[in-house]
Amino acid sequence: DGAQAQATESTPSFPAPGQYLFGQSPQADQVGSGYIVLESDGQAIHGALYFPGSSFDCFQGHVEGNAMAMTILDSYSQETYPYSIALVPQGSAIAADQITDGLTPLSLSGFYTLDQITANDLRMLGVCQAAMTAGE
């Protein structure tokens, strides 16, 4: 496909397809800590940013260089704004074990990777997928 042929100068390390949960705390649902739940199809990313017990904002984006470039949809104003989070560089020894088909798992700077994605996280993912595609 022609779109991928243009990206030969740097090998993209898109997050491997799947669902991810990140938190500013190593435990889920800690009041006052921010969380990001996202889903990757191997190129595009969509998901939600939230604080437990509060509203959530939806976003879509992609990995650009060493950052995740996002467009966030504010749940109150319905306005969108750009945001970027740095990615943690993957150490070559660790990455070699994790790479599958050239795709690397995602690690966000300042966030812990959490394993337990809850039903509420999945609900937000579904709402955000619908909200972001409606806005396109």
Side-chain angles (χ1 to χ4, degrees), residues 19 85 88 117 120 131:
Q19 295 172 333
I85 299 178
V88 176
I117 294 180
N120 194 39

Side-chain angles (χ1 to χ4, degrees), residues 10 19 106 109:
S10 67
Q19 295 172 333
L106 193 62
S109 181

Side-chain angles (χ1 to χ4, degrees), residues 18-29 35-38 50 98 105-107 111-119 121-122 125:
Q19 295 172 333
Y20 297 83
L21 177 62
F22 301 97
Q24 291 174 320
S25 163
Q27 281 92 34
D29 284 334
Y35 294 88
I36 299 174
V37 60
L38 64 85
Y50 69 95
Q98 296 174 329
L106 193 62
S107 294
F111 286 86
Y112 298 92
T113 304
L114 307 177
D115 294 330
Q116 273 73 40
I117 294 180
T118 67
D121 293 325
L122 295 174
L125 267 182

Side-chain angles (χ1 to χ4, degrees), residues 39-70:
E39 187 165 5
S40 165
D41 64 7
Q43 290 192 357
I45 298 165
H46 73 270
L49 306 144
Y50 69 95
F51 286 86
S54 184
S55 66
F56 61 93
D57 294 333
C58 297
F59 71 86
Q60 64 185 11
H62 57 276
V63 171
E64 204 170 81
N66 58 354
M68 185 168 75
M70 304 149 65

Side-chain angles (χ1 to χ4, degrees), residues 2 37 50-51 54 56-58 66 71 77 80-81 83 87 95 101-102 104 107 109-110 124 128 131 133 135:
V37 60
Y50 69 95
F51 286 86
S54 184
F56 61 93
D57 294 333
C58 297
N66 58 354
T71 300
S77 68
T80 58
Y81 58 94
Y83 192 71
L87 301 179
D101 302 329
T104 350
S107 294
S109 181
M124 287 185 280
C128 286
T133 42

